[in-house]
Amino acid sequence: MAVAPTQDAKQYLRPEAVAKLRNMEVRARLVVEGFITGLHRSPYHGFSVEFAEHRPYMPGDEIRHIDWKVYGKTGRYYIKEYEEETNLKTTLLVDQSASMGYASPGKLTKLAYASYLAASLCYLMMRQQDAVGLALFSESVDQHLPPHLSRAYLTRLLAALEAAKPARTTGIGPALHAIAAQLNRRGLIVVLSDLFDDPATILAGLKHFRHRQHEVVVFQILDPMERSFAFPGGAATVFEDMETGETIQTDPVQMRRAYQTAMTEFVTTMQRDCRAQGIDHVLLDTT
């Protein structure tokens, strides 16, 4: 059962406070230990006594889990996996397309916010002895680190998140299909994105995961200005698409209501379509 965070812990709900911390691992540790302390432990944690299967050794795996008897027979390194270890493997999918680089004054970029959230989830799951992987994507899969469980691998995941930079155009649907095709074992898929793409192609990619029996959670991350469109009016303002460079000149006040209606419809469509597929949709903004 989760407990309410203390007043001291609540400071880590503020993204600007997290941004001041020294590195990604410190950020993740303080966020997790600061206000998720009361979260119940996962039922899928640790190495149980029930052996499940072998898999080839991968860089970053704990040496203590190598089956030396198999090595003596084959000359190859294999890792013992146990039943509880195979129950939950999580892959975090972080959108690093150019639109994720947007930030209104005084706020973090959406990519920074997504990276802090992803880092915190990595730290939490590793602490629970659950395997975690990461995929960074834009119009294609830019980097894919399959799920593993080790302290060294956590460092590698956090380093990848620290280095993530917004670049290139969005192609969420094709990227999701590409990642789904690479995941052979069902697990938990966590998508962190503004979802600024065609909803139908996004849904098709998400359905690919569900078809392969993955559980899916979508965190749609938006800047508060993207939701309110509360730009000052009274004069024509030029808006530029961060991915295509296309510009439009308009008075924000004159189009605010129409924009807000369109944004509400967009978010509602994503929520409804995700729910219909048994996918959790969580709307966040960078405040």
Side-chain angles (χ1 to χ4, degrees):
M1 177 177 178
V3 297
T6 65
Q7 191 61 38
D8 287 342
K10 286 181 179 178
Q11 66 178 307
Y12 299 114
L13 287 169
R14 299 200 303 270
E16 65 274 16
V18 176
K20 295 177 182 178
L21 302 177
R22 185 168 53 86
N23 59 43
M24 190 65 82
E25 183 165 357
V26 172
R27 293 166 185 163
R29 177 173 59 82
L30 290 181
V31 169
V32 169
E33 295 181 358
F35 69 105
I36 314 184
T37 303
L39 189 67
H40 70 277
R41 291 178 63 83
S42 166
Y44 310 119
H45 61 84
F47 286 84
S48 73
V49 296
E50 186 176 354
F51 172 72
E53 62 182 22
H54 287 98
R55 63 168 174 78
Y57 172 84
M58 298 287 291
D61 287 332
E62 293 280 0
I63 295 177
R64 61 193 175 95
H65 297 308
I66 292 177
D67 191 326
W68 296 106
K69 291 183 179 179
V70 172
Y71 174 77
K73 295 178 180 178
T74 66
R76 297 173 181 267
Y77 296 108
Y78 286 91
I79 295 292
K80 280 186 176 182
E81 285 195 328
Y82 295 81
E83 189 60 39
E84 289 187 18
E85 187 196 5
T86 65
N87 282 337
L88 183 62
K89 290 183 180 294
T90 300
T91 302
L92 304 170
L93 280 55
V94 178
D95 182 355
Q96 62 172 7
S97 58
S99 68
M100 292 291 286
Y102 177 72
S104 57
K107 300 294 186 294
L108 298 178
T109 67
K110 291 178 287 183
L111 179 57
Y113 189 99
S115 296
Y116 297 166
L117 175 56
S120 301
L121 291 172
C122 284
Y123 185 89
L124 173 64
M125 292 173 180
M126 286 280 190
R127 195 175 73 167
Q128 294 180 161
Q129 298 297 303
D130 291 325
V132 186
L134 172 70
L136 300 172
F137 70 91
S138 51
E139 59 190 4
S140 59
V141 182
D142 302 319
Q143 185 175 10
H144 184 199
L145 302 172
H148 291 297
L149 174 61
S150 76
R151 175 71 180 185
Y153 202 67
L154 174 61
T155 301
R156 186 177 175 189
L157 294 173
L158 298 182
L161 288 168
E162 188 80 73
K165 302 293 182 185
R168 301 200 295 178
T169 56
T170 299
I172 299 176
L176 297 182
H177 283 298
I179 296 167
Q182 297 178 40
L183 300 178
N184 297 321
R185 181 178 299 162
R186 67 181 182 180
L188 174 63
I189 306 299
V190 180
V191 180
L192 301 98
S193 171
D194 54 18
L195 303 182
F196 283 173
D197 203 356
D198 175 48
T201 62
I202 295 174
L203 184 63
L206 295 174
K207 288 170 68 174
H208 193 164
F209 289 114
R210 294 296 289 138
H211 177 72
R212 304 192 70 161
Q213 299 185 324
H214 296 285
E215 294 295 327
V216 183
V217 179
V218 175
F219 288 99
Q220 184 173 11
I221 300 172
L222 299 175
D223 185 276
M225 196 67 80
E226 291 174 330
R227 300 181 65 185
S228 68
F229 207 71
F231 296 97
T237 303
V238 176
F239 294 90
E240 180 178 349
D241 189 307
M242 298 180 70
E243 298 187 5
T244 68
E246 182 181 356
T247 61
I248 182 173
Q249 184 171 332
T250 185
D251 183 345
V253 173
Q254 293 182 2
M255 64 177 299
R256 183 173 299 152
R257 181 171 297 179
Y259 175 93
Q260 291 172 342
T261 298
M263 176 60 74
T264 299
E265 291 177 353
F266 169 61
V267 172
T268 300
T269 295
M270 295 307 308
Q271 291 173 329
R272 182 188 65 241
D273 290 349
C274 285
R275 190 180 306 117
Q277 298 300 321
I279 295 169
D280 290 320
H281 178 283
V282 182
L283 178 63
L284 299 173
D285 71 36
T286 55
T287 56

